[in-house]
Structures are given as structure tokens and as C-alpha cells.
Amino acid sequence: MQTGQFLTIQDLSAATAISLNVAIPVYASLGISTSVLPTALLSTQTEAFGKPAAIDLKDWVARTVAHWYHASMTFSGIAVGYVGTPALVDMVDQFIQQSAVSTVTIDPVMGDHGKLYEGFDESYVTKMKTLIKQADVLTPNWTEAQLLVGDDPQPEMSESRVRDVLARLTGQLNDKSLGVITGIQRNSVLEVWWQTAGGAILHVENPLLDQHFYGAGDLFTAILSGLIELSWDADAAVKKTSELLAVAIKETMHSNRELRFGMALHNVIHELSKLDDRF
């Protein structure tokens, strides 16, 4: 059961079902009372519509955090997604350090398909390497995981390579943290790998589809952080999150919407609303 107000920190994309537009309904369907701290306002997501109209909310974020502090607002957990600038990463890092929360989930959104997203450079990666030290749950995709351990992203996804990157990644976290790598494509399946609290490395598989589903990573992190907030066992939470992501991907694939508009959520929201608080 949730014990306080949850906070999600990420961008708001006006026209697409990604980021906050995915996270808010997920948390609501799980019965989690949620506050939001938008890091940027974007006209669309950044990958498939050309350069979006954007507003950097750094100054507003600073005033908001100061107001919350003076109002004695506290949060039970925090989930961080797309932040956007090195300066904002520093602000988020400082805010988390000053917040007494039970769990911090960080999705280090900065790249995919072997490269950084447009507008990001090595300075952003450096800041993100510092921020992830605050993570109790970390959910990079394969590209981001390699960047975080200091490797140039390579397409190779052999089992030995994945195990090596995952071990080095979790080595940057505290002993009880959950490190998860998404988007691993091997042997015609899509895999999620994670390291358990006991040190075992596990993975789950879903069918590999020849499409790119915008917002899938945001949805994965929202579901996983929500289940962790509700005190689900970490391994069970990763497995259930992967299962539910497959539900959303299937609905999105068979809908009439353009994939660039993000995830279809009706079926996954229905499934989430039926879950018990604890596994």
C-alpha cells in the first residue's frame, strides 16, 4: 500500500502518449496519489516530428522545489524520466539528495539505437552518471546502459556482453539497488535483463516486432516504479511490467494510430486497475 504522495519528474509532450502522458494514467490506475514536476514542455516527442517547440522549465522547477520545501511537502517515492539539460540534472540530483524517500527510480533517457538523442552530448552523459548513484531502481535501454558504463554503444547483444554491461552497471549502484536493462534484441526476441538483490542475473522474453514503439520505455518505467511503490517484490515487478508492456505494444500495433504518437493505453490501464497492491 502506498504510504504518501509519489512524485514523477519528466517532460510533458503536448501531442504524444509518452513521458508524463503515459505516467499519470499508469499511477492513477494503480491507485497511487501522484504529483508531477515537468522538466520541459514540448510540442511533440523529440524523435519523429522534427524539432519540437520547447520551453526549458529550469527556473520554474527551482521555484517549485523551493515552494515545496517551505510548504513542508514530502514524497514517498520518486520516478525520474527525461530531464533534458545538464543544469536540470544537477537540480534533480540535489532535490533527491534532500528528499527522504523510500525508493528512487531513474530512467536515464538520453539515447537509443546506438546513439544519443539530438541535443545531448558527453556532458549530459557525465551528469547522468552522477545522478544514477541516487537510484534504487535503474531502467536504461541497451544504448543508455553502455553509455553509463563508459562504452561506445555497440550493436552486439551476446549473453556474455549483456551480462558484463549489467554487472558493471549495477556495480555503480548501492548493494540493494535493482538494475534493469530494456530493449535487448537477441535470437528474434526482445529481452529485459536484471540483476536480483542476491546477485543472480535473470531475463524475460517477448516477441521481437519490426517496429519502434515510441514511449515504450516511459511506460515500462512508470509501471515498474508504480509496482515498487506498492511494495511488490522486485523480481515479480519486473516480470509483470514486461508482461503488461507486451499488452500495450500489441494494442498499439493493432490500433489505427500512427506509431509516432506513442502508446495505446486502454488495455494496459484496464489490466493495471485489476492488480492487487502486493504480489
Side-chain angles (χ1 to χ4, degrees):
M1 179 177 295
Q2 185 186 17
T3 58
Q5 189 82 356
F6 191 77
L7 175 65
T8 180
I9 304 173
Q10 55 188 305
D11 69 290
L12 177 60
S13 176
T16 44
I18 66 166
S19 304
L20 280 176
N21 288 338
V22 164
I24 292 170
V26 165
Y27 297 132
S29 69
L30 289 169
I32 296 173
S33 181
T34 305
S35 299
V36 301
L37 187 64
T39 54
L41 295 180
L42 305 172
S43 56
T44 64
Q45 51 108 333
T46 60
E47 290 186 83
F49 292 87
K51 186 175 182 179
I55 299 176
D56 184 337
L57 297 179
K58 177 168 59 70
D59 293 340
W60 178 85
V61 168
R63 295 198 304 273
T64 298
V65 169
H67 179 205
W68 288 350
Y69 177 79
H70 289 295
S72 300
M73 289 184 61
T74 60
F75 302 97
S76 57
I78 294 174
V80 180
Y82 180 96
V83 181
T85 67
L88 269 169
V89 174
D90 282 341
M91 293 175 64
V92 171
D93 192 1
Q94 182 178 14
F95 174 72
I96 292 173
Q97 291 184 50
Q98 295 173 345
S99 302
V101 299
S102 59
T103 305
V104 175
T105 301
I106 297 177
D107 180 4
V109 180
M110 57 183 171
D112 202 358
H113 305 296
K115 61 183 180 179
L116 289 166
Y117 293 136
E118 183 177 352
F120 290 159
D121 58 22
E122 189 59 37
S123 67
Y124 193 84
V125 177
T126 299
K127 293 293 187 182
M128 193 57 68
K129 288 178 180 178
T130 299
L131 178 63
I132 67 168
K133 295 176 182 178
Q134 307 292 336
D136 299 294
V137 181
L138 183 66
T139 62
N141 62 33
W142 178 235
T143 294
E144 293 157 348
Q146 292 178 89
L147 289 166
L148 289 170
V149 299
D151 291 355
D152 292 329
Q154 303 295 325
E156 179 195 353
M157 300 182 188
S158 66
E159 180 173 340
S160 61
R161 170 75 174 143
V162 174
R163 286 179 175 272
D164 172 67
V165 171
L166 180 55
R168 290 157 59 202
L169 183 68
T170 54
Q172 299 180 41
L173 310 176
N174 68 59
D175 291 341
K176 296 182 179 180
S177 292
L178 173 64
V180 185
I181 303 179
T182 65
I184 296 173
Q185 302 176 17
R186 297 188 326 114
N187 303 321
S188 300
V189 295
L190 187 64
E191 298 175 343
V192 173
W193 287 66
W194 73 100
Q195 183 164 315
T196 70
I201 292 178
L202 303 176
H203 72 276
V204 292
E205 301 177 353
N206 282 305
L208 177 62
L209 303 173
D210 189 23
Q211 300 283 356
H212 179 61
F213 294 91
Y214 299 98
D218 302 332
L219 180 57
F220 183 94
T221 298
I223 296 172
L224 180 59
S225 60
L227 296 182
I228 295 294
E229 173 72 3
L230 296 178
S231 300
W232 276 52
D233 168 79
D235 296 340
V238 175
K239 293 174 183 177
K240 177 56 72 171
T241 299
S242 299
E243 174 189 322
L244 292 172
L245 181 62
V247 170
I249 286 175
K250 181 178 180 180
E251 181 184 1
T252 303
M253 183 176 63
H254 293 295
S255 70
N256 292 324
R257 63 194 293 153
E258 293 181 54
L259 294 181
R260 63 180 182 161
F261 282 95
M263 303 301 295
L265 299 175
H266 174 79
N267 291 342
V268 73
I269 293 300
H270 177 69
E271 293 298 320
L272 284 166
S273 66
K274 297 189 298 183
L275 293 180
D276 292 330
D277 279 359
R278 297 176 65 96
F279 180 77

